Structures are given as C-alpha cells and as structure tokens.
Amino acid sequence: HRLDAFVIGMTLLVQLVVAFFWRASLPDWILKASLFLFLLVCLQGGLGALTVVNLVPSLVVTSHLALGLILIASLSGLSQRLLEKGQGLHPAPLWWRLMSSLSAFAVICQSLIGGRMATTWAVQRCLNNDQSCIWLDLHKSSAIPVACLICLFVGTALFHEGWPRSQWPFLLALLLLVCLQIILGLMTMNFALSKPLLTVSHQLVASVLVAILSALSFRRPQSPNSLITGLFEETSLEPCHG
C-alpha cells in the first residue's frame, strides 16, 4: 500500500514539474490541475500516516477513502480532457453533466457509508449482537436510490438521439457494473465482510464507477458544424458535388 502510494505521489510530482516547465505551450488549466492533484495526494499521504499512527480510527480511515475517491474522479476527468482530439468541441448538454456528476457524487457517498460501516464493524455487531445497525441499514437503503440514479442517467442518455446515444458502450458498462456491484454487495453481507476478496472487489467496482462517471461528465461532443465540415472534407463525393 505504501509503495503504491509512493508511485502515485512521484508520478503526480513529475506531472507537476513537466506542466510547469512546459507551461508556455500548454493550456493554463493543466498546471493548475496538476498542482491541485499534487496537493491532494500530499494531503492523502498525511491522512495515511495519521491512520497508521492512530491505529486506523474509523473517521480518519473514512476521510482517507474520501480523498482517494476524489483523487480517482479528478484524475479520470483530467485524463478524459487530455485525450480529447479534434476541433470544434463544445460542452456536453447541461443535463448530461449534472446527471453524471450527481451519479459520481452519489457513488462516492455510498462508498463512504460502506467504509464507515466496515471500519466500525457494524455488520458483525448488527448480525451478532443487534447493535450499530444504523450504518448497515443506511448502506442498504441508500444503495437503491444510487442505483436508480445511475440507471436514470443511462436511460435518459439512450433515449436522446445523437451524441448522448453514441456513448452507449460506456453507458452499458455502467449498467453492468451496477448489477455486479449489487451482487457483490449481497455476497459481502451474506459473509459478514469475512471474505476480503469480496470486500475489495466491492470497493474496486465502486471506484471504477466513479472513474467512468467522472470521465463522462468531462466528455465533450463535437459541434454539428464541425461534424458536417469534416464529413464533406473526407468524402469522395465533394468533387461531384462541386
């Protein structure tokens, strides 16, 4: 865990240094985003050290998880913006950005509830002694609206024609991940969090959901005018039309 954290921190430091020295040929937001990510990973390292020193207290561990998920969301959004190619890009529809961002935020909140539940041993205490069931009940009850919110976003996007529907591979991946997450959650509860592989897989799928939703919220379509221009530039019918 420490080695992985060290690699992430050094990678973001190198990215910050490169963005600083090449700032003249890069957009201004890249240097600012790189600085934000580096400060975020430094804060994450501080929380990690505090977690070890204080023998993994629940609130500190949950905060450590929250920063990790925010780091995943930020890196995914930044990577999506850097991978975009072509000209004539414009922001995605407002409903697309709102629904994808809200879905990502909901998954993060659900993960934090699960982290709080796991670090307070709420499942074992609830099943064995009927104590601290509030976190278990909250995690189970909040899973339904979170899943419905993601499904609503996917259904709305597939209902619209044009660019939103063209993102169907990512949208279908979201549905599959939601189904997988529900199955893993039920299995994790049945084993009372006694199977580390199931617990880690449950958190891993949540992280992937956050990454995909964050990337989609930063994804931008090409404007209709640029698409039409590109079509006439590439087609062999242009001389015939002339």
Side-chain angles (χ1 to χ4, degrees), residues 38-151:
F38 179 71
L39 294 177
L40 195 62
V41 79
C42 289
L43 181 59
Q44 178 76 335
L47 274 178
L50 192 62
T51 298
V52 175
V53 171
N54 293 340
L55 301 178
V56 291
S58 177
L59 287 178
V60 177
V61 175
T62 305
S63 301
H64 191 58
L65 175 62
L67 276 182
L69 292 173
I70 294 174
L71 188 62
I72 290 174
S74 303
L75 283 169
S76 181
L78 176 63
S79 300
Q80 173 60 45
R81 189 56 57 88
L82 292 175
L83 288 172
E84 289 180 340
K85 298 179 180 180
Q87 299 178 351
L89 296 173
H90 66 99
L94 180 61
W95 64 266
W96 174 280
R97 287 175 284 160
L98 288 178
M99 295 185 73
S100 58
S101 301
L102 184 59
S103 298
F105 178 75
V107 175
I108 292 176
C109 291
Q110 178 69 358
S111 298
L112 296 183
I113 295 174
R116 179 68 170 167
M117 178 190 69
T119 53
T120 55
W121 302 94
V123 175
Q124 294 83 350
R125 295 167 62 185
C126 180
L127 297 179
N128 297 332
N129 304 320
D130 198 23
Q131 298 177 353
S132 301
C133 293
I134 181 174
W135 289 111
L136 178 59
D137 295 337
L138 181 61
H139 189 65
K140 291 193 296 185
S141 60
S142 59
I144 299 176
V146 172
C148 292
L149 181 60
I150 297 176
C151 292

Side-chain angles (χ1 to χ4, degrees), residues 220-232:
R220 296 183 298 177
Q222 287 187 331
S223 63
N225 293 333
S226 63
L227 289 176
I228 294 176
T229 303
L231 176 64
F232 282 114

Side-chain angles (χ1 to χ4, degrees), residues 11 19 70 77 93 121 163 171 178 180 233:
T11 305
I70 294 174
W121 302 94
W163 180 81
L171 300 173
V178 168
L180 178 60
E233 287 178 351

